[in-house]
């Protein structure tokens, strides 16, 4: 009975010794298990917790891998040797056919070369003759065996770090590199003998056995003396790729469509007033900061815009300015919206664009590029609305409210009434006309002298409408007034469009030319302006400003809205870009001029009514 | 109980290698003699591609580092000399006090002798002459020589560690039983003192304490 108890203790020592050795080997050779164990060890260290398994042989190793428990169960017979093969797997060859192969990191596919680089054999040999020690001797016996097992385990632990395979283990355990090889293990109760070739490169070390009365516990290792034959180089990792063509990148081609978004409308997160533009409309404005809005800007302009949040100043809705623009930008607002409208279709194509592109994109919207390049170029810029010069000796000269504004060449559009004399004329709201007018202005602007001539014509025409105001405006610095008038334009343009009235707080003169609208077709207005130039000259400076404001406010909306104007009319505007530009020079009938005058008057009234001033018309007086 | 002595293979090291080599050897030995509950700690050498194991005791590490500092100081005073560091494990036995010995005596049951030959790396004199011609060569040869020398030291150190493992495995019977709550056996690290005579006195002292059979009690 005493012997049974002692033998039971001894078996327990042997069993635990096998488990401990397996734990030490796996922890020092299999990277995947080591990572798992290391994490647990960190946790256990922090909690200073010693497990029951750690106390065996006074060596704290942490939690045993789950696979180890299964292996212990399968190798219950203590007298069967426990053979642990450490296999170097070189990915690329077929999978191994070795029994009980456990390879957590084995390649999922593809053949792999496998080489046994270490073989540990733990054996508990039963002696032929089993001595039966007495009680005291037996007690001392298993304590000594236990002590010796501790020493054996210590030496094995140290030896594991001195063998060549440990270096490979360290390499693979490094998370910073990936390799095309791996270390796996195989535990079995028998060992396949090495081939002669394999044996030639192997060395063997046999640990001193721990002799017990009922058996002899021995550990031996056969290992490859050198592993330089294996190409143990880390996989060449791709250098970090810097993605430059991301959405919002200044170098991104604005024409490029990004697969992430179908419509440009989805890519924006800027606050948009009102509903989104209808997707079916070619003139929808998906972004408040549409690429077209910034794309065509010269670098100087764009930079100045980038410093401020213009995206909030331009919204997809026409005449819906979120924040008051500065003087520098003020004149641009109208044109910006127009230019954005023009480029809406193209924007659909590229779908996303940097909101603050530091440099103006050289590419213009595709649909515009197919039309008048001059016009396209003009459309890509933010041209502020300029006050047309009066006829008197300033026909060839521009004047912009802000002389420093590089886009000061554009003139305010003609009155809306003149649109019916356009090549594509139709009865359209004033908004469209003003838009067309701006289009004409834009088309005229080019590096060449064409824009000057065009604008000169425009100036003549405008001066006829409200020559007095314009002339008065010309004599001033302009920008403060413009800024002020611009501020008045911050009112909801939608209301203006609905009312089709015009009221300018500065207009205290005759309203004949005060209804000058910013929307008109370009070609038709020439004659009309000529006829009205004298009348315009008589108007006050404030009235001119009011006209200008109204022109800007009644510009066609950015978003295609059938309630406001006809899409077709706008489309025809684009399609017949050249013709429209040329149509601006077509003579206008008196009826058109009168119609335009009336529209201007209405607009003026509207403005005045909003400012609380009662408009007294000549007709009423009469 | 007999005292097992292990004379480790002599290592030829340079001054800057002393610390790492001694740490590696001393901790490896102690780890095999720290039979209490330990949490092994792997330490990678910086100068060599060798990983040794410490038993994780902070106090032990401090004491070993102190001894190494003393030894380095001694080496600086006695350059280019072969030296020996002795790591001894003993048992404390109470003994009847006599006018020769104290109440307690140390029974050394194991001693490890670490033999070091601290050398100074010879400077290259070729750079003095033919300066223009041999500007490049001395640098390259020195680097190669250094690396080959380093490899030799590493191989020797590895041999020493294998030697320790072998000795530890082969000699187990003399190891005293493990006391409860004790992590490692009492030890002593002896470094050469200022003079050889003093070193000799230390040896005599040790013999008196260990109760050598030849000594008259």
């Amino acid at each position: 009975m005493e012997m049974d108890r002692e033998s039971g203790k001894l078996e327990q020592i042997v069993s635990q010794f096998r488990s401990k050795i397996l734990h030490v080997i796996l922890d020092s050779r299999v990277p995947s298990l080591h990572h798992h164990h290391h994490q647990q060890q960190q946790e256990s260290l922090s909690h200073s917790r010693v497990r029951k398994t750690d106390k065996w042989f006074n060596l704290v190793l942490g939690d045993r891998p789950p696979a180890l428990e299964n292996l212990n169960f399968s190798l219950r017979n203590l007298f069967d040797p426990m053979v642990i093969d450490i296999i170097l797997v070189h990915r690329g060859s077929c999978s191994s056919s070795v029994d009980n192969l456990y390879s957590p990191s084995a390649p999922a596919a593809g053949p792999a070369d496998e080489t046994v680089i270490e073989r540990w054999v733990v054996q508990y040999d039963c002696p032929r003759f089993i001595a039966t020690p007495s009680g005291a001797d037996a007690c001392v016996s298993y304590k000594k065996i236990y002590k010796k097992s501790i020493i054996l385990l210590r030496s094995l632990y140290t030896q594991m770090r001195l063998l060549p395979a440990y270096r490979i283990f360290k390499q693979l355990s490094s998370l910073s590199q990936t390799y095309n090889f791996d270390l796996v293990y195989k535990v079995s109760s028998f060992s396949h003998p090495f081939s002669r070739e394999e044996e030639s490169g192997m060395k063997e070390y046999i640990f001193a056995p721990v002799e017990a009365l009922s058996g002899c516990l021995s550990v031996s290792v056969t290992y490859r003396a050198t592993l330089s034959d294996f190409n143990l180089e880390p996989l060449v990792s791709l250098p970090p790729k810097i993605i430059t063509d991301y959405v919002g990148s200044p170098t991104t081609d604005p024409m490029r469509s990004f697969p992430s978004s179908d419509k440009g409308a989805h890519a924006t997160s800027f606050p948009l007033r009102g509903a989104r533009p209808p997707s079916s409309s070619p003139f929808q404005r998906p972004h408040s900061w549409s690429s077209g809005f910034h794309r065509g800007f010269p670098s100087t302009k764009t930079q100045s815009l980038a410093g401020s949040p213009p995206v909030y100043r331009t919204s997809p809705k026409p005449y819906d300015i979120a924040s008051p623009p500065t003087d520098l930008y003020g004149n641009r607002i109208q044109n910006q919206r127009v230019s954005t409208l023009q480029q809406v279709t193209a924007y659909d194509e590229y779908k996303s664009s940097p909101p603050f592109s530091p440099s103006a994109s050289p590419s213009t919207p595709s649909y515009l590029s197919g039309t008048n390049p001059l016009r396209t170029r003009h459309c890509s810029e933010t041209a502020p609305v300029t006050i047309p010069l009066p006829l008197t000796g300033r026909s060839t000269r521009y004047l912009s409210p802000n002389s420093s504004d590089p886009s000061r060449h554009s003139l305010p559009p003609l009155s809306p009434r003149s649109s019916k004399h356009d090549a594509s004329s139709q009865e359209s709201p004033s908004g469209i006309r003003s838009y067309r007018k701006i289009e004409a202005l834009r088309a005229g602007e080019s590096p060449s002298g064409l824009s000057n001539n065009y604008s000169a014509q425009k100036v003549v025409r405008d001066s006829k409408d409200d020559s007095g105001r314009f002339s008065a405006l010309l004599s001033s610095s302009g920008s403060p007034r413009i800024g002020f008038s611009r501020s008045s334009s911050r009112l909801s343009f939608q209301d203006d469009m609905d009312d089709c009235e015009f009221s300018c707080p500065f207009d205290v003169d005759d309203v004949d030319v005060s209804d000058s609208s910013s929307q008109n077709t370009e070609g038709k207005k020439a004659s009309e302006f000529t006829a009205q130039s004298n009348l315009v000259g008589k108007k006050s400076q404030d009235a001119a400003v009011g006209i200008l404001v109204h022109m800007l406010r009644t510009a066609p909306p950015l978003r295609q809205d059938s309630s406001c104007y006809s899409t077709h009319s706008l489309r025809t505007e684009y399609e017949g870009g050249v013709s429209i530009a040329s149509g601006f020079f077509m003579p206008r009938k008196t009826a058109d001029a009168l119609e335009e005058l009336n529209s201007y008057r209405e607009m003026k009234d509207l403005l005045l009514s909003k400012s609380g001033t009662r408009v007294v018309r000549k007709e009423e007086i009469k | 109980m007999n005292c097992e002595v292990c004379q480790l293979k002599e290592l030829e090291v340079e001054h800057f290698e002393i610390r790492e080599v001694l740490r590696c050897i001393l901790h490896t030995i102690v780890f095999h003699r720290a039979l209490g509950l330990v949490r092994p700690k792997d330490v990678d050498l910086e100068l060599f591609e060798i990983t040794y194991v410490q038993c994780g005791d902070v106090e032990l590490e401090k004491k070993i580092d102190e001894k190494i500092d003393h030894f380095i100081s001694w080496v600086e005073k006695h350059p280019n000399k072969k030296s020996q560091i002795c790591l001894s494990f003993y048992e404390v036995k109470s003994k009847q006090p006599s006018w020769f010995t104290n109440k307690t005596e140390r029974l050394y049951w194991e001693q490890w002798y670490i033999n070091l030959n601290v050398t100074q790396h010879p400077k290259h004199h070729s750079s003095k002459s033919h300066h223009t011609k041999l500007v490049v060569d001395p640098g390259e040869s020195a680097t190669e020589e250094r690396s080959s020398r380093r490899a030799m030291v590493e191989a020797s150190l590895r041999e020493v560690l294998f030697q320790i493992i072998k000795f530890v495995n082969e000699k187990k019977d003399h190891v005293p039983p493990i006391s409860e709550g004790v992590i490692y056996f009492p030890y002593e690290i002896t470094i050469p003192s200022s003079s050889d005579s003093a070193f000799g006195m230390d040896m005599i002292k040790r013999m008196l304490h260990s109760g050598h059979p030849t000594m008259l009690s």
Side-chain angles (χ1 to χ4, degrees):
Chain A
M1 189 155 174
E2 191 73 26
M3 200 176 79
D4 292 338
R5 199 183 304 164
E6 293 304 320
S7 63
K9 285 183 182 175
L10 202 60
E11 281 182 8
Q12 196 179 17
I13 289 171
V14 173
S15 173
Q16 290 295 333
F17 182 79
R18 282 153 63 104
S19 300
K20 202 80 173 185
I21 277 188
L22 188 58
H23 194 175
V24 169
I25 292 171
L26 298 184
D27 201 43
S28 308
R29 289 294 184 266
V30 183
S32 56
L33 296 178
H34 171 74
H35 291 148
H36 172 73
H37 165 247
H38 186 68
Q39 286 175 356
Q40 290 179 338
Q41 200 169 24
Q42 295 296 323
E43 296 170 2
S44 65
L45 281 171
S46 63
H47 296 95
S48 300
R49 189 165 60 98
V50 179
R51 298 167 186 77
K52 196 177 177 182
T53 55
D54 289 333
K55 291 180 182 177
W56 275 102
F57 307 100
N58 291 334
L59 197 64
V60 179
L61 297 177
D63 283 335
R64 289 181 179 176
L68 198 143
E69 302 297 336
N70 300 332
L71 290 168
N72 280 338
F73 182 78
S74 63
L75 299 171
R76 281 173 294 177
N77 189 352
L78 298 179
F79 292 101
D80 288 339
M82 184 173 73
V83 180
I84 307 162
D85 283 344
I86 303 299
I87 302 165
L88 181 67
V89 178
H90 187 253
R91 290 172 196 160
S93 55
C94 52
S95 58
S96 171
S97 59
V98 179
D99 298 335
N100 297 333
L101 179 64
Y102 175 73
S103 173
S105 59
D113 293 327
E114 296 177 352
T115 308
V116 178
I117 59 172
E118 272 184 10
R119 174 169 288 169
W120 297 82
V121 179
V122 182
Q123 201 153 7
Y124 183 58
D125 295 325
C126 184
R128 289 179 187 177
F129 173 70
I130 299 173
T132 55
S134 60
D137 293 338
C139 181
V140 173
S141 173
Y142 84 82
K143 280 186 179 177
K144 277 188 177 176
I145 291 169
Y146 184 65
K147 178 189 72 179
K148 290 178 182 178
S149 303
I150 293 173
I151 297 171
L152 175 59
L153 207 56
R154 294 276 200 275
S155 61
L156 188 142
Y157 194 95
T158 304
Q159 183 89 335
M160 297 251 12
R161 278 130 187 86
L162 296 176
L163 294 177
Y166 186 72
R167 243 177 106 178
I168 300 175
F169 166 76
K170 290 276 280 186
Q171 276 182 280
L172 293 175
S173 298
S174 169
L175 297 174
S176 60
Q177 295 274 4
T178 55
Y179 297 89
N180 60 344
F181 57 93
D182 199 2
L183 278 176
V184 300
Y185 72 94
K186 185 198 90 172
V187 182
S188 62
S189 57
F190 63 93
S191 59
H192 295 281
F194 291 117
S195 64
R196 190 165 290 201
E197 188 182 347
E198 286 174 328
E199 267 188 32
S200 62
M202 294 282 207
K203 281 187 179 178
E204 189 180 20
Y205 183 83
I206 302 172
F207 292 84
V210 176
E211 293 181 354
L213 294 175
S214 58
C216 179
L217 188 60
S218 63
V219 179
S220 65
V221 58
T222 307
Y223 61 96
R224 286 184 75 100
T226 176
L227 295 172
S228 57
D229 299 338
F230 300 94
N231 181 21
L232 307 176
E233 293 296 327
L235 290 173
V236 177
S237 58
L238 293 172
K241 183 181 176 184
I242 300 172
I243 300 172
T244 56
D245 58 345
Y246 55 89
V247 175
S249 167
T251 59
T252 305
D253 182 4
M255 302 299 290
R256 177 183 170 185
S257 63
F258 288 85
S260 59
S261 61
D262 294 331
K263 298 287 183 182
H266 302 291
T268 184
S269 60
F270 298 107
L272 303 177
R273 277 201 202 173
R276 282 186 171 182
S279 59
S280 59
S281 167
F283 305 108
Q284 83 177 67
R285 188 157 179 263
H287 285 234
S288 61
W289 53 268
S290 80
S291 57
F293 176 72
H294 290 270
R295 183 160 296 110
F297 288 4
S299 57
T300 54
K301 293 180 192 174
T302 313
Q303 285 168 357
S304 59
L305 283 171
S308 60
V311 291
Y312 299 96
R313 292 175 185 167
T314 60
S315 67
K317 286 193 89 177
Y319 319 112
D320 194 7
I321 297 176
S323 61
T326 61
D327 292 343
L328 183 64
Y329 307 136
N331 292 323
R332 295 183 190 172
I333 293 300
Q334 190 75 8
N335 296 338
Q336 285 170 356
R337 277 190 271 116
V338 171
S339 65
T340 305
L341 269 175
Q342 293 168 354
Q343 298 172 26
V344 155
T345 305
Y347 186 77
D348 285 343
E349 295 180 5
Y350 38 73
K351 302 217 171 9
S352 62
S353 59
F356 300 108
S357 178
S359 61
S361 167
S363 64
T364 54
S366 61
Y367 78 95
L368 286 178
S369 62
T371 60
N372 184 13
L374 298 176
R375 178 198 180 127
T376 301
R377 188 185 180 88
H378 182 88
C379 290
S380 65
E381 295 181 350
T382 54
V385 176
T386 58
I387 307 298
L389 288 169
L391 273 176
T392 55
R394 291 193 177 194
S395 59
T396 58
R397 185 180 150 184
Y398 284 147
L399 184 72
S400 70
N402 188 351
S403 58
S404 62
D405 192 342
S407 58
R408 61 181 181 273
H409 305 294
S410 59
L411 294 171
L414 299 174
S415 65
R417 297 296 180 108
S418 61
S419 62
K420 67 181 180 182
H421 298 288
D422 229 345
S424 57
S425 65
Q426 13 181 324
E427 291 297 327
S428 57
S430 56
I432 298 176
R433 296 190 196 107
S434 64
Y435 175 78
R436 288 175 180 173
K437 195 173 182 180
I438 292 173
E439 280 300 294
L441 291 172
R442 296 256 165 76
E445 182 174 325
S446 71
S448 65
L450 181 62
S451 60
N452 292 334
N453 296 331
Y454 176 79
S455 301
Q457 294 275 349
K458 201 72 173 77
V459 167
V460 168
R461 286 189 290 275
D462 286 338
S463 64
K464 288 175 183 177
D465 279 336
D466 197 356
S467 60
R469 290 176 193 162
F470 289 121
S471 61
L473 186 63
L474 289 173
S475 61
S476 69
S477 61
S479 55
R481 292 181 182 276
I482 292 299
F484 186 79
S485 62
R486 192 64 62 228
S487 61
S488 65
S489 68
R490 289 173 213 154
L491 301 173
S492 171
F493 286 115
Q494 189 59 42
D495 297 335
D496 295 340
M497 287 303 297
D498 293 336
D499 298 337
C500 289
E501 290 181 344
F502 176 79
S503 61
C504 176
F506 310 102
D507 184 12
V508 295
D509 295 328
D510 186 67
V511 298
D512 289 343
V513 293
S514 62
D515 294 340
S516 173
S517 168
S518 61
Q519 8 131 355
N520 209 335
T521 54
E522 299 76 357
K524 297 177 192 173
K525 307 303 181 290
S527 59
E528 184 179 358
F529 277 147
T530 307
Q532 299 177 359
S533 60
N534 292 329
L535 191 60
V536 168
K538 295 176 184 175
K539 298 298 178 183
S540 66
Q541 184 181 0
D542 292 340
V545 169
I547 293 169
L548 178 62
V549 167
H550 180 73
M551 279 174 10
L552 292 173
R553 288 175 63 186
T554 55
L558 296 172
R559 180 187 57 173
Q560 186 65 19
D561 189 355
S562 58
S563 64
C564 294
Y565 49 85
S566 168
T567 305
H568 178 66
S569 65
L570 279 174
R571 196 179 294 112
T572 52
E573 284 282 337
Y574 303 140
E575 292 169 357
V578 178
S579 62
I580 290 172
S582 60
F584 187 83
F585 299 95
M586 290 170 57
R588 293 168 55 189
K589 297 178 181 176
T590 307
D592 294 337
L594 286 173
E595 192 182 338
E596 187 178 353
L597 176 63
N598 288 332
S599 67
Y600 286 151
R601 191 176 296 150
E602 287 170 359
M603 285 188 265
K604 172 197 162 187
D605 292 340
L606 177 67
L607 281 174
L608 288 173
S609 66
K610 286 189 181 296
S611 63
T613 306
R614 182 170 174 273
V615 176
V616 178
R617 294 180 179 270
K618 282 185 178 177
E619 292 79 1
E620 291 176 1
I621 294 170
K622 289 177 182 176
Chain B
M1 185 186 299
N2 54 339
C3 180
E4 296 288 344
V5 177
C6 179
Q7 289 279 351
L8 296 175
K9 182 187 169 187
E10 185 178 273
L11 289 170
E12 193 170 301
V13 296
E14 289 190 52
H15 189 273
F16 67 95
E17 294 169 337
I18 293 173
R19 188 178 296 277
E20 280 223 318
V21 167
L22 281 182
R23 268 189 187 155
C24 176
I25 294 172
L26 289 172
H27 277 286
T28 301
I29 296 170
V30 173
F31 178 68
H32 288 90
R33 293 294 179 250
L35 303 184
L37 185 66
V38 299
R39 201 181 295 268
K41 175 182 157 187
D42 294 347
V43 179
D44 299 324
L45 290 178
E46 294 177 5
L47 300 174
F48 311 103
E49 286 190 26
I50 290 174
T51 301
Y52 70 95
V53 186
Q54 292 183 5
C55 64
D57 187 74
V58 178
E59 202 60 40
L60 175 71
E61 196 175 344
K62 269 186 195 174
K63 287 182 183 174
I64 288 176
D65 284 342
E66 279 178 16
K67 284 294 180 180
I68 292 173
D69 291 337
H70 295 158
F71 177 75
I72 290 173
S73 305
W74 181 87
V75 167
E76 286 170 354
K77 293 174 187 173
H78 304 84
N80 292 326
K81 263 185 123 172
K82 291 188 179 183
S83 55
Q84 199 176 57
I85 297 168
C86 182
L87 173 58
S88 308
F89 294 96
Y90 60 88
E91 276 185 296
V92 179
K93 293 281 187 182
S94 59
K95 197 178 177 184
Q96 207 164 9
S98 67
W99 66 283
F100 262 135
T101 59
N102 296 328
K103 285 184 180 179
T104 58
E105 71 174 322
R106 292 179 176 181
L107 292 175
Y108 293 91
W109 50 269
E110 191 174 84
Q111 288 175 330
W112 299 81
Y113 289 96
I114 303 166
N115 299 295
L116 293 180
N117 185 13
V118 182
T119 60
Q120 296 289 340
H121 191 62
K123 293 179 183 179
H124 287 277
H125 302 284
S126 59
S127 60
K128 291 181 182 177
S129 63
H130 306 288
H131 182 75
T132 55
K133 281 188 181 179
L134 299 174
V135 164
V136 179
D137 290 341
E140 288 180 355
S141 62
T143 307
E144 287 176 4
E145 192 180 331
R146 253 198 307 274
S147 61
S148 66
R149 207 203 126 272
R150 183 72 56 83
M152 278 175 54
V153 174
E154 183 179 319
S156 300
L157 182 58
R158 209 179 282 272
E159 281 184 36
V160 168
L161 297 177
F162 274 115
Q163 193 181 356
I164 294 171
I165 292 170
K166 187 167 178 279
F167 182 88
V168 161
N169 268 274
E170 290 175 353
K171 314 273 186 190
K172 295 193 191 88
D173 294 327
H174 67 288
V175 179
I178 303 166
S179 304
E180 192 69 29
V182 177
I183 296 175
Y184 47 85
F185 294 108
Y187 68 96
E188 183 182 74
I189 299 175
T190 309
I191 59 172
S193 52
S194 306
S195 62
D196 289 339
S197 59
F199 182 73
M201 280 303 296
D202 289 338
M203 288 298 294
I204 292 169
K205 232 181 179 179
R206 194 176 304 114
M207 287 168 70
L208 284 172
H209 284 302
S210 62
H212 199 271
T214 57
M215 294 296 293
L216 297 172
S217 59

